[in-house]
Amino acid sequence: MSTGLSGLVGGVSMALIGIPAVALPTSISEIGIDARRLHDAPYNLTGRKIAIGQVDIGRPRKFGLDKQADLHREIPVQQVFMQDAPAKTSPTDDPEMKPAEQHAEHVASVMISSDKALIGVAPNATLYAAGIGFLRRSGQPEECLAAQNLAEQNSGDVRAINYSFGESLAQDPRPNAVLDGNALLTQCLDWSARVHNVVHVVAGNQGRGGIPIPTDNYNGINVAFTTLYEGKFAKVDLANIGSAFSGTTSRLIGLEGNVDNRRAISLVAPGSNLDLLSLDGQVTRTSGTSFAAPHVTATVALLQEYGDRQLHQQANTPQWTLDARRHEVMKAVLMNSAEKIEDPGNGQHLKMTRTVFANQNRTWLDSDAYSSQEIPLDGDLGTGHLNAYRAYQQFSAGQWGPGNAVPGIGWDYRTVEANSYHEYVLDQPLEAGRFVSISLTWNRWVDLVDGNNNEKYDIGEGFRDRGLNNLELYLMSADETDVRKSVWSSVSKVDSTEHIYHPIPQTGRYKIRVYFRDQVNESTQPYSLAWWMTPTP
């Protein structure tokens, strides 16, 4: 198996690079995603009673099932499958599969390792894992079955599923296949997000023709990886550059990009120079998007543990309802709380702890996403760097609807009718020069073409893309009614995410407007909104 950017075997790739490393705790410490802080008091968040999933080429070994795992229990997988069937004892002895099994164990260790020296992001989360095996043709039907099966585990309550692999367009059976969101596996993930209410997290660098499917999804989260830079995970690794998004640059440097200039990356997270635990007790030094994605997947477990705690303690309060479990909410919270520009100490950049750099040391403020209202995501950075603690701050602010004035930080899940809008008026004035962060997420609608009417995907069935309703996001003065006079907006015609990161022009009262401009499928559109603003002192 190749150990370049993408180890391509049988048409399926895993993001894997073997290079010198630092320890995994660094990636979950404050210079990484700052998740270790949430493990300790007063937060005590480790993913308890939260189920997450992992689809990979191989599968991690399970204590009590596989002999190799008997002496090493630091990666406590709940249940393992091969495709959609319970796994038999011991992963295959096929030499070709051993790297895939090791890869799967490394991915699992990022999420749930309980080893004190190499602890995972959510060590007490409940992990269900499925291996696909190497298939000599497109394995998308089997991969969809595996994803569906994992989403149905834990009585249908799995909050996030990790995909640290991908399919090559060269193996896709469609004639002249392109990254238009309509590969079977991509449609499967977008359908599953809506039907199973699960966050699908995908290793996001497409590579030079390597693993683009299902990075052209709409409803999941795609993750690129960062490397250490001046003491923090703060620079997008060169392996991502020029291959993680569509556009002129990527088509010259990489081989594949999303159609319609739709960006692929949602977030970046640590993935370079990591020490990862294997079940044989060994530590392997490796890098790749394969290991950035599980940082995001496991962060969902931390947030959902907190959300379930609040649901238990504050049942039926306006700020904590079952909306807290919505995958759209998790996506909006994670993306809106991401870090872009280090705060100078006055709150101008929302107390962010790092500046994140892309190619040629370009920052968010240099990007077309910052300067263009029609481009919500930076091609290399998405909305920025994952920070689990900031995501906790965003999520813990609770849900606030458009009926009354809202605080400077919060989120909402709601529906909006076609040609209508909701407005969120801030309860305090905002100071000139300070930045605001606002994210809006919603789903592309994909239906299952259910030949036997069993409401499940079966081999031989397919999906129907019903398209994406067009929602728009505006930041406006509180007394303004004309969106043409908005302070800033995010009005992409091709994305299922809108994002604003923009300075306030003058001190005063402001509001957010969510507008359902163009109906493509249903006339009622669910959405999630997250916002983070600093009121005047």
Side-chain angles (χ1 to χ4, degrees):
M1 185 178 76
S2 167
T3 56
L5 171 61
S6 302
L8 181 62
V9 180
V12 187
S13 300
M14 302 168 293
L16 181 65
I17 305 174
I19 53 181
V22 295
L24 178 60
T26 301
S27 73
I28 69 170
S29 72
E30 62 183 6
I31 68 170
I33 68 169
D34 204 7
R36 278 301 292 266
R37 183 193 312 216
L38 296 176
H39 294 176
D40 301 327
Y43 314 105
N44 300 312
L45 298 174
T46 58
R48 293 178 187 86
K49 298 183 179 180
I50 301 299
I52 56 178
Q54 172 189 354
V55 182
D56 220 310
I57 306 306
R59 65 165 179 87
R61 287 168 283 184
K62 174 177 168 52
F63 174 75
L65 178 66
D66 301 313
K67 292 180 180 179
Q68 299 98 319
D70 285 348
L71 299 178
H72 303 285
R73 309 183 189 185
E74 293 86 359
I75 307 177
V77 183
Q78 177 73 14
Q79 193 168 351
V80 287
F81 301 88
M82 283 306 293
Q83 298 181 15
D84 61 339
K88 298 178 181 179
T89 184
S90 189
T92 177
D93 291 328
D94 182 351
E96 185 183 57
M97 280 297 297
K98 286 185 178 179
E101 294 158 5
Q102 189 79 291
H103 179 271
E105 290 174 3
H106 291 159
V107 172
S109 76
V110 173
M111 294 188 280
I112 63 165
S113 170
S114 61
D115 184 87
K116 290 182 179 180
L118 295 167
I119 196 164
V121 176
N124 289 320
T126 303
L127 179 64
Y128 296 86
I132 302 300
F134 288 122
L135 302 174
R136 299 303 174 186
R137 53 178 173 77
S138 172
Q140 293 182 59
E142 291 81 3
E143 292 154 8
C144 182
L145 278 182
Q148 174 181 252
N149 178 60
L150 291 185
E152 294 171 342
Q153 298 306 306
N154 199 46
S155 300
D157 185 18
V158 173
R159 308 295 170 90
I161 298 177
N162 189 85
Y163 301 81
S164 287
F165 74 99
E167 282 275 353
S168 169
L169 267 178
Q171 297 296 119
D172 191 274
R174 296 174 297 159
N176 303 313
V178 293
L179 293 180
D180 58 0
N182 290 319
L184 187 144
L185 181 59
T186 303
Q187 290 185 332
C188 176
L189 265 61
D190 282 354
W191 165 77
S192 173
R194 177 177 62 85
V195 171
H196 299 122
N197 186 30
V198 63
V199 182
H200 295 287
V201 182
V202 179
N205 71 305
Q206 294 165 347
R208 298 176 185 270
I211 56 172
I213 299 170
T215 62
D216 56 337
N217 71 82
Y218 286 77
N219 302 345
I221 297 176
N222 293 339
V223 189
F225 75 102
T226 55
T227 188
L228 282 171
Y229 182 72
E230 297 183 349
K232 296 180 180 178
F233 282 92
K235 189 166 186 175
V236 177
D237 195 281
L238 287 175
N240 298 273
I241 299 300
S243 58
F245 61 98
S246 75
T248 302
T249 302
S250 73
R251 293 185 188 280
L252 290 174
I253 300 177
L255 298 182
E256 298 155 340
N258 288 347
V259 300
D260 297 327
N261 201 36
R262 184 169 65 91
R263 300 295 168 82
I265 297 302
S266 308
L267 291 168
V268 296
S272 179
N273 296 351
L274 302 180
D275 278 4
L276 304 179
L277 183 68
S278 301
L279 276 177
D280 58 6
Q282 301 299 311
V283 175
T284 301
R285 298 180 174 185
T286 191
S287 293
T289 49
S290 284
F291 315 114
H295 283 83
V296 178
T297 306
T299 297
V300 172
L302 301 181
L303 298 180
Q304 286 296 293
E305 181 188 2
Y306 176 81
D308 281 5
R309 185 187 302 169
Q310 296 303 105
L311 287 172
H312 177 72
Q313 296 174 354
Q314 302 186 41
N316 301 318
T317 63
Q319 275 63 64
W320 292 100
T321 70
L322 289 177
D323 290 344
R325 294 180 176 174
R326 294 298 310 176
H327 67 278
E328 301 98 324
V329 170
M330 285 291 92
K331 183 175 180 179
V333 162
L334 290 165
M335 294 179 70
N336 201 62
S337 58
E339 298 192 280
K340 297 178 178 69
I341 305 293
E342 184 174 1
D343 191 273
N346 60 5
Q348 180 185 15
H349 289 288
L350 306 176
K351 299 183 179 180
M352 295 179 183
T353 67
R354 83 197 72 198
T355 296
V356 189
F357 296 94
N359 192 24
Q360 299 178 338
N361 282 350
R362 180 179 57 80
T363 74
W364 174 270
L365 300 182
D366 303 315
S367 72
D368 52 7
Y370 177 64
S371 59
S372 172
Q373 297 176 57
E374 294 187 355
I375 301 175
L377 304 175
D378 178 78
D380 298 330
L381 304 174
T383 62
H385 200 286
L386 172 68
N387 185 302
Y389 179 67
R390 286 178 58 83
Y392 161 81
Q393 291 178 297
Q394 176 79 75
F395 190 46
S396 64
Q399 181 176 11
W400 301 85
N404 299 304
V406 301
I409 180 170
W411 55 268
D412 191 27
Y413 177 77
R414 203 157 298 271
T415 60
V416 61
E417 299 297 320
N419 302 311
S420 299
Y421 59 83
H422 289 311
E423 291 188 335
Y424 299 75
V425 181
L426 276 296
D427 62 1
Q428 298 292 326
L430 302 179
E431 185 177 357
R434 294 193 178 192
F435 279 69
V436 301
S437 182
I438 315 168
S439 297
L440 175 68
T441 64
W442 70 101
N443 284 340
R444 173 176 71 145
W445 191 290
V446 176
D447 279 333
L448 172 66
V449 180
D450 190 7
N452 58 7
N453 296 315
N454 67 350
E455 300 182 352
K456 295 180 64 172
Y457 171 76
D458 298 292
I459 296 288
E461 294 180 338
F463 298 92
R464 179 168 67 102
D465 175 19
R466 294 185 56 200
L468 179 70
N469 285 333
N470 183 26
L471 272 60
E472 296 179 341
L473 180 64
Y474 295 90
L475 175 65
M476 308 168 66
S477 294
D479 57 356
E480 184 57 71
T481 59
D482 187 350
V483 296
R484 292 173 296 182
K485 298 179 181 179
S486 62
V487 171
W488 200 249
S489 65
S490 181
V491 292
S492 170
K493 295 180 175 62
V494 298
D495 293 281
S496 59
T497 298
E498 303 288 3
H499 180 69
I500 291 173
Y501 190 70
H502 201 77
I504 293 296
Q506 60 185 21
T507 299
R509 293 285 302 280
Y510 290 86
K511 66 184 178 183
I512 303 164
R513 178 180 288 189
V514 176
Y515 177 42
F516 186 170
R517 177 172 293 278
D518 301 310
Q519 178 185 346
V520 175
N521 47 71
E522 300 295 312
S523 61
T524 299
Q525 179 62 59
Y527 69 86
S528 181
L529 179 72
W531 62 93
W532 191 319
M533 308 177 185
T534 305
T536 56

Tab-separated table of all heavy atoms in Angstrom, residues 38-69:
chain	number	residue	atom	x	y	z
A	38	LEU	N	-12.090	20.234	28.733
A	38	LEU	CA	-13.468	19.794	28.952
A	38	LEU	C	-13.541	18.471	29.703
A	38	LEU	O	-14.585	18.133	30.267
A	38	LEU	CB	-14.195	19.678	27.614
A	38	LEU	CG	-14.360	20.993	26.845
A	38	LEU	CD1	-15.015	20.731	25.499
A	38	LEU	CD2	-15.181	21.996	27.652
A	39	HIS	N	-12.451	17.696	29.730
A	39	HIS	CA	-12.440	16.434	30.478
A	39	HIS	C	-12.485	16.682	31.982
A	39	HIS	O	-12.996	15.847	32.738
A	39	HIS	CB	-11.174	15.630	30.156
A	39	HIS	CG	-11.106	15.149	28.744
A	39	HIS	ND1	-10.009	14.473	28.250
A	39	HIS	CD2	-11.980	15.230	27.710
A	39	HIS	CE1	-10.218	14.162	26.979
A	39	HIS	NE2	-11.396	14.621	26.628
A	40	ASP	N	-11.941	17.791	32.403
A	40	ASP	CA	-11.741	18.053	33.826
A	40	ASP	C	-12.887	18.881	34.401
A	40	ASP	O	-13.712	19.446	33.663
A	40	ASP	CB	-10.410	18.787	34.035
A	40	ASP	CG	-9.218	17.979	33.519
A	40	ASP	OD1	-9.286	16.735	33.595
A	40	ASP	OD2	-8.247	18.598	33.037
A	41	ALA	N	-12.924	18.964	35.743
A	41	ALA	CA	-13.909	19.800	36.422
A	41	ALA	C	-13.683	21.263	36.008
A	41	ALA	O	-12.541	21.670	35.764
A	41	ALA	CB	-13.767	19.627	37.935
A	42	PRO	N	-14.730	22.056	35.894
A	42	PRO	CA	-16.115	21.730	36.265
A	42	PRO	C	-16.935	21.113	35.139
A	42	PRO	O	-18.120	20.857	35.303
A	42	PRO	CB	-16.683	23.103	36.618
A	42	PRO	CG	-15.987	24.013	35.650
A	42	PRO	CD	-14.580	23.483	35.527
A	43	TYR	N	-16.301	20.856	33.979
A	43	TYR	CA	-17.069	20.405	32.816
A	43	TYR	C	-17.329	18.907	32.855
A	43	TYR	O	-18.449	18.451	32.610
A	43	TYR	CB	-16.330	20.804	31.536
A	43	TYR	CG	-15.852	22.226	31.560
A	43	TYR	CD1	-14.499	22.519	31.761
A	43	TYR	CD2	-16.743	23.282	31.425
A	43	TYR	CE1	-14.048	23.825	31.804
A	43	TYR	CE2	-16.308	24.599	31.473
A	43	TYR	CZ	-14.963	24.866	31.671
A	43	TYR	OH	-14.530	26.158	31.718
A	44	ASN	N	-16.278	18.120	33.105
A	44	ASN	CA	-16.403	16.664	33.220
A	44	ASN	C	-17.083	16.050	32.001
A	44	ASN	O	-17.981	15.213	32.114
A	44	ASN	CB	-17.170	16.293	34.495
A	44	ASN	CG	-16.471	16.800	35.740
A	44	ASN	OD1	-15.260	16.624	35.908
A	44	ASN	ND2	-17.218	17.454	36.619
A	45	LEU	N	-16.613	16.443	30.832
A	45	LEU	CA	-17.177	15.943	29.576
A	45	LEU	C	-16.187	15.005	28.911
A	45	LEU	O	-15.099	15.424	28.504
A	45	LEU	CB	-17.506	17.112	28.642
A	45	LEU	CG	-18.554	18.109	29.152
A	45	LEU	CD1	-18.667	19.293	28.195
A	45	LEU	CD2	-19.906	17.431	29.342
A	46	THR	N	-16.553	13.746	28.806
A	46	THR	CA	-15.704	12.740	28.161
A	46	THR	C	-16.477	11.892	27.154
A	46	THR	O	-15.973	10.890	26.679
A	46	THR	CB	-15.072	11.816	29.219
A	46	THR	OG1	-16.113	11.197	29.981
A	46	THR	CG2	-14.139	12.595	30.144
A	47	GLY	N	-17.698	12.272	26.838
A	47	GLY	CA	-18.492	11.525	25.867
A	47	GLY	C	-19.328	10.409	26.455
A	47	GLY	O	-19.817	9.547	25.712
A	48	ARG	N	-19.518	10.402	27.760
A	48	ARG	CA	-20.275	9.316	28.402
A	48	ARG	C	-21.666	9.165	27.793
A	48	ARG	O	-22.382	10.141	27.604
A	48	ARG	CB	-20.427	9.584	29.906
A	48	ARG	CG	-19.136	9.521	30.699
A	48	ARG	CD	-19.399	9.851	32.164
A	48	ARG	NE	-18.161	9.955	32.919
A	48	ARG	CZ	-17.434	11.064	33.012
A	48	ARG	NH1	-17.833	12.158	32.379
A	48	ARG	NH2	-16.324	11.082	33.717
A	49	LYS	N	-22.023	7.918	27.515
A	49	LYS	CA	-23.345	7.524	27.030
A	49	LYS	C	-23.694	8.128	25.668
A	49	LYS	O	-24.858	8.136	25.269
A	49	LYS	CB	-24.433	7.878	28.048
A	49	LYS	CG	-24.275	7.162	29.383
A	49	LYS	CD	-25.412	7.492	30.334
A	49	LYS	CE	-25.254	6.752	31.657
A	49	LYS	NZ	-26.352	7.066	32.608
A	50	ILE	N	-22.687	8.622	24.944
A	50	ILE	CA	-22.921	9.155	23.606
A	50	ILE	C	-22.322	8.196	22.583
A	50	ILE	O	-21.141	7.846	22.646
A	50	ILE	CB	-22.289	10.549	23.433
A	50	ILE	CG1	-22.870	11.519	24.463
A	50	ILE	CG2	-22.510	11.059	22.016
A	50	ILE	CD1	-24.373	11.740	24.353
A	51	ALA	N	-23.149	7.752	21.646
A	51	ALA	CA	-22.709	6.800	20.620
A	51	ALA	C	-22.226	7.545	19.379
A	51	ALA	O	-22.887	8.478	18.902
A	51	ALA	CB	-23.839	5.852	20.255
A	52	ILE	N	-21.064	7.137	18.873
A	52	ILE	CA	-20.525	7.644	17.618
A	52	ILE	C	-20.117	6.450	16.765
A	52	ILE	O	-20.059	5.323	17.244
A	52	ILE	CB	-19.330	8.583	17.849
A	52	ILE	CG1	-18.228	7.896	18.668
A	52	ILE	CG2	-19.787	9.861	18.544
A	52	ILE	CD1	-16.992	8.755	18.891
A	53	GLY	N	-19.849	6.681	15.499
A	53	GLY	CA	-19.527	5.586	14.586
A	53	GLY	C	-18.269	5.849	13.796
A	53	GLY	O	-17.778	6.977	13.711
A	54	GLN	N	-17.765	4.790	13.173
A	54	GLN	CA	-16.555	4.868	12.351
A	54	GLN	C	-16.687	3.889	11.191
A	54	GLN	O	-16.815	2.684	11.401
A	54	GLN	CB	-15.312	4.513	13.179
A	54	GLN	CG	-14.030	4.384	12.368
A	54	GLN	CD	-12.871	3.828	13.189
A	54	GLN	OE1	-12.982	3.625	14.397
A	54	GLN	NE2	-11.749	3.577	12.538
A	55	VAL	N	-16.673	4.416	9.965
A	55	VAL	CA	-16.595	3.583	8.770
A	55	VAL	C	-15.188	3.710	8.218
A	55	VAL	O	-14.674	4.817	8.056
A	55	VAL	CB	-17.623	4.006	7.702
A	55	VAL	CG1	-17.545	3.069	6.501
A	55	VAL	CG2	-19.029	4.009	8.276
A	56	ASP	N	-14.551	2.592	7.929
A	56	ASP	CA	-13.170	2.612	7.447
A	56	ASP	C	-12.967	1.404	6.537
A	56	ASP	O	-13.871	0.574	6.386
A	56	ASP	CB	-12.196	2.565	8.628
A	56	ASP	CG	-11.001	3.479	8.427
A	56	ASP	OD1	-10.386	3.398	7.346
A	56	ASP	OD2	-10.685	4.259	9.337
A	57	ILE	N	-11.796	1.312	5.937
A	57	ILE	CA	-11.521	0.148	5.089
A	57	ILE	C	-11.385	-1.099	5.962
A	57	ILE	O	-12.019	-2.120	5.732
A	57	ILE	CB	-10.239	0.365	4.266
A	57	ILE	CG1	-10.336	1.683	3.492
A	57	ILE	CG2	-10.039	-0.799	3.301
A	57	ILE	CD1	-11.567	1.810	2.640
A	58	GLY	N	-10.531	-1.030	6.964
A	58	GLY	CA	-10.458	-2.085	7.963
A	58	GLY	C	-11.292	-1.706	9.177
A	58	GLY	O	-11.999	-0.698	9.178
A	59	ARG	N	-11.183	-2.502	10.209
A	59	ARG	CA	-11.892	-2.184	11.442
A	59	ARG	C	-10.919	-2.305	12.610
A	59	ARG	O	-9.955	-3.072	12.558
A	59	ARG	CB	-13.064	-3.131	11.658
A	59	ARG	CG	-12.670	-4.594	11.895
A	59	ARG	CD	-13.843	-5.374	12.468
A	59	ARG	NE	-13.528	-6.787	12.682
A	59	ARG	CZ	-12.964	-7.275	13.780
A	59	ARG	NH1	-12.577	-6.456	14.754
A	59	ARG	NH2	-12.737	-8.579	13.909
A	60	PRO	N	-11.144	-1.535	13.672
A	60	PRO	CA	-10.313	-1.707	14.860
A	60	PRO	C	-10.633	-3.027	15.535
A	60	PRO	O	-11.745	-3.560	15.406
A	60	PRO	CB	-10.707	-0.511	15.741
A	60	PRO	CG	-12.092	-0.171	15.316
A	60	PRO	CD	-12.161	-0.484	13.853
A	61	ARG	N	-9.673	-3.564	16.245
A	61	ARG	CA	-9.904	-4.810	16.973
A	61	ARG	C	-10.689	-4.548	18.251
A	61	ARG	O	-10.621	-3.463	18.819
A	61	ARG	CB	-8.565	-5.482	17.274
A	61	ARG	CG	-7.924	-6.108	16.042
A	61	ARG	CD	-6.490	-6.522	16.284
A	61	ARG	NE	-5.610	-5.350	16.269
A	61	ARG	CZ	-4.295	-5.430	16.381
A	61	ARG	NH1	-3.711	-6.609	16.519
A	61	ARG	NH2	-3.564	-4.341	16.337
A	62	LYS	N	-11.433	-5.545	18.671
A	62	LYS	CA	-12.298	-5.410	19.834
A	62	LYS	C	-11.901	-6.411	20.910
A	62	LYS	O	-11.780	-7.613	20.638
A	62	LYS	CB	-13.763	-5.624	19.442
A	62	LYS	CG	-14.724	-5.644	20.631
A	62	LYS	CD	-16.155	-5.778	20.195
A	62	LYS	CE	-17.064	-6.087	21.384
A	62	LYS	NZ	-16.917	-5.156	22.519
A	63	PHE	N	-11.745	-5.916	22.123
A	63	PHE	CA	-11.435	-6.776	23.255
A	63	PHE	C	-12.584	-7.762	23.469
A	63	PHE	O	-13.754	-7.406	23.434
A	63	PHE	CB	-11.232	-5.932	24.514
A	63	PHE	CG	-11.049	-6.756	25.760
A	63	PHE	CD1	-9.853	-7.425	26.001
A	63	PHE	CD2	-12.071	-6.882	26.680
A	63	PHE	CE1	-9.675	-8.188	27.132
A	63	PHE	CE2	-11.914	-7.642	27.829
A	63	PHE	CZ	-10.709	-8.305	28.054
A	64	GLY	N	-12.248	-9.022	23.684
A	64	GLY	CA	-13.248	-10.059	23.877
A	64	GLY	C	-13.639	-10.769	22.607
A	64	GLY	O	-14.256	-11.832	22.657
A	65	LEU	N	-13.282	-10.185	21.456
A	65	LEU	CA	-13.577	-10.807	20.170
A	65	LEU	C	-12.295	-11.200	19.446
A	65	LEU	O	-12.208	-12.305	18.903
A	65	LEU	CB	-14.388	-9.837	19.294
A	65	LEU	CG	-14.734	-10.329	17.879
A	65	LEU	CD1	-15.684	-11.528	17.945
A	65	LEU	CD2	-15.337	-9.200	17.049
A	66	ASP	N	-11.324	-10.330	19.473
A	66	ASP	CA	-10.081	-10.550	18.745
A	66	ASP	C	-8.949	-10.868	19.722
A	66	ASP	O	-8.744	-10.138	20.697
A	66	ASP	CB	-9.717	-9.311	17.932
A	66	ASP	CG	-10.810	-8.945	16.935
A	66	ASP	OD1	-11.290	-9.856	16.242
A	66	ASP	OD2	-11.172	-7.759	16.876
A	67	LYS	N	-8.211	-11.922	19.429
A	67	LYS	CA	-7.151	-12.356	20.337
A	67	LYS	C	-6.087	-11.275	20.519
A	67	LYS	O	-5.548	-11.108	21.597
A	67	LYS	CB	-6.513	-13.642	19.808
A	67	LYS	CG	-7.441	-14.850	19.849
A	67	LYS	CD	-6.744	-16.094	19.313
A	67	LYS	CE	-7.679	-17.296	19.358
A	67	LYS	NZ	-7.021	-18.515	18.826
A	68	GLN	N	-5.788	-10.542	19.448
A	68	GLN	CA	-4.735	-9.536	19.542
A	68	GLN	C	-5.085	-8.446	20.542
A	68	GLN	O	-4.212	-7.737	21.032
A	68	GLN	CB	-4.494	-8.890	18.168
A	68	GLN	CG	-4.037	-9.887	17.112
A	68	GLN	CD	-5.210	-10.336	16.256
A	68	GLN	OE1	-6.299	-10.577	16.776
A	68	GLN	NE2	-4.985	-10.461	14.970
A	69	ALA	N	-6.370	-8.297	20.846
A	69	ALA	CA	-6.799	-7.215	21.722
A	69	ALA	C	-6.864	-7.634	23.181
A	69	ALA	O	-7.143	-6.804	24.044
A	69	ALA	CB	-8.174	-6.709	21.278
